[in-house]
Amino acid sequence: RMMERPGRENVDSFMSAWLAGLRIVVGQDGSEASALRVSSELAKVSGEVERRAAAKMLRAFLMLDRPLSIEARVFLSRTPSALSDSGRNISEADLLLIEAALDAGAEGEGLLRVINAVGRDPSSVNMSDLGRIIRILRDAGYQDEGRALVIEGLRFQRPRS
């Protein structure tokens, strides 16, 4: 039996919403209605402890062209970008070279440049730059690889209260 702790309901509600969001990100649930419902739920149940994880999940929705509810959009607008967009920057030159290589059909070069730019830990890259790489990959026909990168970028630790 779980210990009863103040605020426990919020963590469980958050975990439920976050896991539903993960199902959307991995592609198990492609429904726009689900994306709207889950994004709304994440915004409503996220406390200060969960705010960073919720903001990253909502940004992952955007990277995958999933719609956000009005509550989620308000939540993101009130979340400092430093909280959801912290991490290592990828240089503009690297982003341009990745795009140029993939646009030119040099898939090997483009993918090696992605690996070099992202490194071993996609969750260490800021979400804006990760989002740009994912869009470049998707535009070049690498939807599955882009989705995998989004999932890696969400590396999640359960909040402890």
Side-chain angles (χ1 to χ4, degrees), residues 83-140:
L83 191 63
S84 65
D85 204 21
S86 61
R88 184 172 49 82
N89 294 327
I90 294 177
S91 76
E92 189 65 31
D94 283 338
L95 291 166
L96 290 172
L97 288 169
I98 291 166
E99 188 169 19
L102 291 172
D103 284 349
E107 286 90 3
E109 177 190 348
L111 294 175
L112 285 173
R113 286 186 181 281
V114 169
I115 292 166
N116 187 52
V118 172
R120 297 177 66 97
D121 183 7
S123 69
S124 71
V125 175
N126 77 55
M127 292 295 275
S128 292
D129 289 347
L130 192 62
R132 286 185 63 193
I133 286 180
I134 288 158
R135 288 203 187 278
I136 292 167
L137 286 170
R138 291 177 61 214
D139 289 349

Side-chain angles (χ1 to χ4, degrees), residues 70-91:
I70 183 66
E71 295 88 356
R73 295 190 308 270
V74 168
F75 174 85
L76 283 178
S77 74
R78 292 182 179 163
T79 299
S81 62
L83 191 63
S84 65
D85 204 21
S86 61
R88 184 172 49 82
N89 294 327
I90 294 177
S91 76

Side-chain angles (χ1 to χ4, degrees), residues 17-28 38 57 61 151 154:
W18 197 88
L19 290 171
L22 192 57
R23 282 190 291 278
I24 290 167
V25 169
V26 300
Q28 290 180 341
V38 170
M57 178 64 76
F61 277 31
I151 295 165
L154 284 174

